[in-house]
């Protein structure tokens, strides 16, 4: 390679790195970006490993644990994740200790999902960090925006709930089945509905009852 060609290649590489940094900055700020712009993130996707996990026999506990550690950004101790589950990346999701996720849990983790210790998630729940612009002209090339989700320790999320981009669910709270969580939920409350709203606090009296509603 000639010196001139080498310089051109270096400049092209620098330009590509600058473009990637600009896209990552937009993603971090919750601004709109397109599928083509974010294509360089494809190697971070763990979809083949997710497929493998979903087809691994329950009795192969060591193999399933190794797959979880390869799929997720971090995995705590005593993790239970009932297949099938789905993840856009996997590598952007972090699971705490004593996590229980039931069947058909979907992680739309274009950016980080952080789940604390002792969290329980019922079947058919979606955690999505990503949404799309309302105007169709802005959805060309699957244009989208992404904001991280945080689920603090000891949260319980009921069946068929959807947690939307940017939401934080506080310590110990319960999200009722079928809820759509579009805003932050404070610690130690029961919240239900579409949109999800706080209906009451969790108190010492709940130690003697079964119901959460």
């Amino acid at each position: 390679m000639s010196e001139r060609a080498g310089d051109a290649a270096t400049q092209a590489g620098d330009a590509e790195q600058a473009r990637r940094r600009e896209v990552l900055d937009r993603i971090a700020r919750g601004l709109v970006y397109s599928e083509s712009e974010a294509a360089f993130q494809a190697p971070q996707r763990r979809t083949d490993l997710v497929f493998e996990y979903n087809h691994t026999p329950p009795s192969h506990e060591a193999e399933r644990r190794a797959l979880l550690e390869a799929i997720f950004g971090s995995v705590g101790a005593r993790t239970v994740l009932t297949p099938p589950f789905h993840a856009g990346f996997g590598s952007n999701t972090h699971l705490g200790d004593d996590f229980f996720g039931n069947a058909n849990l979907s992680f739309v983790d274009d950016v980080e999902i952080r789940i604390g210790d002792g969290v329980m998630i019922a079947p058919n729940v979606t955690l999505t960090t990503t949404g799309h612009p309302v105007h169709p002209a802005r959805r060309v090339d699957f244009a989208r925006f992404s904001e991280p989700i945080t689920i603090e320790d000891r949260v319980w999320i009921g069946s068929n709930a959807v947690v939307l981009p940017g939401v934080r669910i506080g310590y110990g709270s319960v999200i009722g089945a079928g809820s759509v969580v579009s805003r932050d939920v404070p610690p130690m409350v029961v919240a239900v509905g579409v949109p999800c709203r706080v209906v009451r606090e969790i108190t010492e009296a709940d130690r003697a009852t079964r119901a959460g509603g």
Side-chain angles (χ1 to χ4, degrees), residues 137-191:
R138 299 207 67 196
R139 295 198 297 271
V140 174
D141 193 16
F142 307 108
R144 55 191 182 265
F145 58 87
S146 301
E147 298 179 87
I149 288 172
T150 301
I151 299 173
E152 296 182 5
D153 297 349
R154 310 298 295 175
V155 166
W156 170 29
I157 300 177
S159 299
N160 298 296
V162 179
V163 180
L164 296 179
V167 164
R168 174 183 289 268
I169 301 176
Y171 173 90
S173 285
V174 174
I175 305 300
S179 296
V180 177
V181 189
S182 58
R183 61 184 65 186
D184 290 355
V185 175
M188 293 295 287
V189 297
V190 176

Side-chain angles (χ1 to χ4, degrees), residues 29 32 35-37 117 122 150 153 161 190-191 201 208 211:
R29 294 164 59 198
V32 173
E35 177 70 18
S36 296
E37 289 175 326
D117 298 337
T150 301
D153 297 349
V190 176
E201 294 183 352

Side-chain angles (χ1 to χ4, degrees), residues 17-181:
Q17 289 300 314
R19 186 191 70 80
R20 293 184 179 190
R21 286 194 296 270
E22 189 274 330
V23 173
L24 290 172
D25 178 68
R26 269 193 284 138
I27 293 172
R29 294 164 59 198
L31 302 178
V32 173
Y33 62 99
S34 72
E35 177 70 18
S36 296
E37 289 175 326
F40 65 89
Q41 294 184 306
Q44 299 173 39
R45 295 184 183 272
R46 304 290 184 259
T47 48
D48 283 353
L49 293 174
V50 171
F51 180 89
E52 186 176 349
Y53 180 88
N54 287 334
H55 292 81
T56 300
S59 59
H60 295 194
E61 294 181 7
E63 182 179 354
R64 289 173 69 167
R65 175 67 193 191
L67 284 167
L68 288 178
E69 291 176 353
I71 291 165
F72 291 110
S74 60
V75 184
R78 299 171 296 281
T79 297
V80 177
L81 183 55
T82 303
F85 82 95
H86 309 276
F89 280 81
S91 58
N92 288 332
T93 294
H94 302 266
L95 306 178
D97 295 339
D98 301 303
F99 171 78
F100 182 91
N102 218 320
N104 295 315
L105 174 54
S106 292
F107 303 96
V108 185
D109 58 343
D110 294 301
V111 296
E112 283 193 341
I113 296 174
R114 290 198 168 268
I115 298 176
D117 298 337
V119 170
M120 299 191 302
I121 300 181
N124 304 311
V125 168
T126 298
L127 309 176
T128 178
T129 65
T130 291
H132 301 276
V134 171
H135 198 288
R138 299 207 67 196
R139 295 198 297 271
V140 174
D141 193 16
F142 307 108
R144 55 191 182 265
F145 58 87
S146 301
E147 298 179 87
I149 288 172
T150 301
I151 299 173
E152 296 182 5
D153 297 349
R154 310 298 295 175
V155 166
W156 170 29
I157 300 177
S159 299
N160 298 296
V162 179
V163 180
L164 296 179
V167 164
R168 174 183 289 268
I169 301 176
Y171 173 90
S173 285
V174 174
I175 305 300
S179 296
V180 177
V181 189

